[in-house]
Amino acid sequence: MSAYLHLRAVPAPALRNSPTWLERIFASDSEAVRHRVGRCREEVLDRCCLDQERIYTGAPPDGPGDRPQAQVVLGGRPVLRTDRRKPPLLVLTAAQARRVAGFLERTDFDALWDSARDGLLPRYGGVGAEPETWRAFATTHRELRAFYAYTAECGDAVVKWRSKA
């Protein structure tokens, strides 16, 4: 079984604080969501999402109390699910999504990689597999940067959901 992290952009005025409403965002395909809430963009991270999180949370903070790097993957305000045994949904406001977009735009991926590589490489085949591993994480970084940049441009919020498939 593989774990996935789904990130969906939601127009800020449509965002509800209801676990049932937030779960419905992910209960149907992105076309249905696009129709229901106006527009929808989605990014899906595979089982490596926890390792992708390690790349950002090891980044130096922007300033006191200002840590958008911790919101890129698994950050956000938790909203408990109707089934309390499942992981909470995570919500970033439009302002938080803008901060994350700014962080990703300013951040040098190679610097992030350098600080996380020693902890990640053993899990992906060691130093000999570094080019492929670096490429996979760099691609995800570019996809996240594009997702958050467009989300911020639209003034949208982000809802995150971990699933198993």
Side-chain angles (χ1 to χ4, degrees):
M1 191 176 314
S2 296
Y4 294 89
L5 180 70
H6 302 258
L7 296 86
R8 283 202 173 162
V10 177
L15 191 61
R16 305 284 179 270
N17 197 27
S18 158
T20 303
W21 187 89
L22 293 169
E23 287 173 342
R24 268 196 317 244
I25 289 175
F26 297 101
S28 52
D29 66 25
S30 58
E31 270 311 305
V33 174
R34 183 177 290 116
H35 177 71
R36 188 170 56 242
V37 298
R39 65 183 170 269
C40 175
R41 285 167 322 288
E42 180 176 61
E43 186 63 42
V44 179
L45 303 180
D46 66 9
R47 59 183 165 62
C48 300
C49 64
L50 295 175
D51 288 332
Q52 193 77 32
E53 172 77 356
R54 176 182 276 186
I55 287 175
Y56 300 114
T57 57
D62 286 340
D66 187 14
R67 299 185 53 87
Q69 70 271 18
Q71 297 174 333
V72 176
V73 178
L74 295 177
R77 179 180 50 82
V79 175
L80 295 177
R81 312 263 304 267
T82 52
D83 181 348
R84 304 284 177 155
R85 294 169 297 182
K86 294 181 178 178
L89 298 157
L90 300 170
V91 177
L92 292 179
T93 65
Q96 289 169 319
R98 277 191 307 277
R99 286 179 43 212
V100 169
F103 164 75
L104 291 172
E105 185 61 35
R106 292 185 308 273
T107 300
D108 173 21
F109 177 77
D110 288 323
L112 294 176
W113 175 255
D114 287 344
S115 68
R117 72 180 285 283
D118 292 340
L120 293 175
L121 284 178
R123 300 168 49 86
Y124 294 91
V127 176
E130 184 168 8
E132 301 87 43
T133 306
W134 178 92
R135 203 169 13 264
F137 282 94
T139 297
T140 300
H141 173 75
R142 283 191 302 276
E143 291 168 353
L144 284 168
R145 188 174 57 210
F147 170 80
Y148 277 109
Y150 191 64
T151 298
E153 182 181 313
C154 293
D156 289 344
V158 174
V159 180
K160 303 172 190 180
W161 172 60
R162 285 193 301 186
S163 69
K164 293 186 179 188

